[in-house]
Every structure is written in C-alpha cells, then in structure tokens.
Amino acid sequence: MQIRLMEPRDFAAFWPVFREVVAARETYAFDPDMDQEAARRLWCEAPLETWLAEEDGQLLGSYFLKANAAGPGGHVGNCGYMVAPAARGKGVARAMCEHSQQRARERGFLALQFNSVVATNAAAVALWQKLGFDVVGRLPRAYRHAAHGLVDCLVMYKWLGEAEKPAMPEPVKLIGRKNIEATVSRRRKRD
C-alpha cells in the first residue's frame, strides 16, 4: 500500500467513495446532496493536506489533516478518513491513521482530536482506541443515523507530543524576623 499526497486530478476517482460514504449517513455529518465541486473543496482545499491510499493503481481510501482550531488551540490537529467499501477490513484505516499521526507531528501538532465519531461506528471507535485515542466526551443524540435514528457522537483525543515536565518553581527562601529587618534595611541603604 502506498500513501501519497492527493493531487487535484485524483479527486474525480475518489468522488464515488466520498459520495457513497456520505450518502449512507452512518459516519459523516456532511450534506448527502453535496455536489462534487463542494465535496472537493471540503476534502481537498479546506485542510492543510489531503492524502490518498492506493495499491496497484486501485484507490483504497483518503484522509485529510487540518488544525482543529485556530490561535491558542492551533497545536491540536484534526483528521477525517474514508475507506473505499471494497477495501474495508484490510488495514487501510489503520495505515492512514498511523500515517496521519506522523504527518501531524511533522506539521507541529501536539495532539489529534476527532470531534464527532459516531458511537455506532464500532469498528472505527475500536480502532482509534487501539491506536491510543481516548474517548474524552460524549455528545448525546448528536447524529441522525440513517438506520438507528438519533445516536451519540464521541470526542476522541490523543496526545502526540513528548511528555512535558511541568516547570518547577524556585524554592522559597525562609528567613527569620531579624533577617527580614536586616534585608529590608540593607535594600533601603542601597537605594
């Protein structure tokens, strides 16, 4: 399997996968009536980078990487992954997620956050957890699933940075009453 940057001409080949995944209304909160040009802008222009997984010229899936927020939250990245139906269960999502974590680190992100993992997407939830993502929040009835109606979404998060050591404060000097008077008196004489 090869994972390479998606080129503008590649989106036409990816469009049937995108359309099928979104139309299923099982995993993505994208408008199922979105046209190809709107989908291309969303998947390829809005993110920092978009990648394509393929093998022997066959498209297996794609993912994008972008900042989850701006400014003080800009160190947290966000990704979206889609796997072609014929390629599911073959390790494509795992390979793309591992690749995306490396790319996120290279782009300077310290964490990845998935804002809305549909809770009924058990395969994705299990895979993200195996890859070190924690469920840090639950959004009750946040997704209108085609088969299950209103279902929960999960917020999942993984720290990518090195473990940071907290800054240790300098030890406080304890001085007695006589030393306080001497210290204050010395400062005044110097001024």
Side-chain angles (χ1 to χ4, degrees), residues 96-108:
M96 290 193 303
C97 186
E98 289 171 343
H99 188 270
S100 69
Q101 290 178 63
Q102 182 59 39
R103 287 299 303 153
R105 286 182 184 97
E106 291 169 5
R107 294 294 300 242

Side-chain angles (χ1 to χ4, degrees), residues 14-54:
F14 177 63
W15 167 241
V17 173
F18 184 98
R19 185 177 58 224
E20 185 174 341
V21 168
V22 172
R25 293 187 5 228
E26 296 174 348
T27 56
Y28 272 90
F30 294 159
D31 182 358
D33 296 324
M34 183 184 313
D35 66 20
Q36 184 173 345
E37 180 55 25
R40 186 192 63 74
R41 285 192 308 269
L42 177 74
W43 198 260
C44 298
E45 290 181 13
L48 294 171
E49 52 190 51
T50 303
W51 293 81
L52 185 73
E54 61 185 1

Side-chain angles (χ1 to χ4, degrees), residues 163-185:
E164 294 182 359
K165 294 180 182 176
M168 297 302 290
E170 290 186 28
V172 177
K173 290 183 180 179
L174 298 176
I175 54 177
R177 183 178 187 118
K178 288 183 181 178
N179 290 338
I180 290 173
E181 292 171 359
T183 302
V184 172
S185 297

Side-chain angles (χ1 to χ4, degrees), residues 26-191:
E26 296 174 348
T27 56
Y28 272 90
F30 294 159
D31 182 358
D33 296 324
M34 183 184 313
D35 66 20
Q36 184 173 345
E37 180 55 25
R40 186 192 63 74
R41 285 192 308 269
L42 177 74
W43 198 260
C44 298
E45 290 181 13
L48 294 171
E49 52 190 51
T50 303
W51 293 81
L52 185 73
E54 61 185 1
E55 189 169 61
D56 300 325
Q58 182 178 1
L59 186 142
L60 304 175
S62 177
Y63 82 86
F64 66 76
L65 172 64
K66 65 181 185 176
N68 193 57
H75 63 285
V76 178
N78 175 267
C79 294
Y81 310 87
M82 286 190 187
V83 176
R88 291 186 186 146
K90 298 181 180 178
V92 176
R94 173 185 284 275
M96 290 193 303
C97 186
E98 289 171 343
H99 188 270
S100 69
Q101 290 178 63
Q102 182 59 39
R103 287 299 303 153
R105 286 182 184 97
E106 291 169 5
R107 294 294 300 242
F109 291 110
L110 298 177
L112 280 177
Q113 179 174 317
F114 303 153
N115 298 318
S116 189
V117 180
V118 179
T120 55
N121 189 355
V125 173
L127 177 59
W128 305 152
Q129 288 178 319
K130 283 180 189 173
L131 294 175
F133 287 82
D134 294 313
V135 174
V136 296
R138 178 176 286 270
L139 310 169
R141 298 173 303 283
Y143 189 83
R144 190 179 303 277
H145 194 281
H148 303 294
L150 295 176
V151 297
D152 294 355
C153 287
L154 306 175
V155 179
M156 300 186 78
Y157 182 89
K158 181 177 181 179
W159 182 253
L160 301 174
E162 296 295 322
E164 294 182 359
K165 294 180 182 176
M168 297 302 290
E170 290 186 28
V172 177
K173 290 183 180 179
L174 298 176
I175 54 177
R177 183 178 187 118
K178 288 183 181 178
N179 290 338
I180 290 173
E181 292 171 359
T183 302
V184 172
S185 297
R186 269 185 260 150
R187 282 192 193 145
R188 286 186 187 154
K189 290 179 183 176
R190 288 182 192 157
D191 294 336

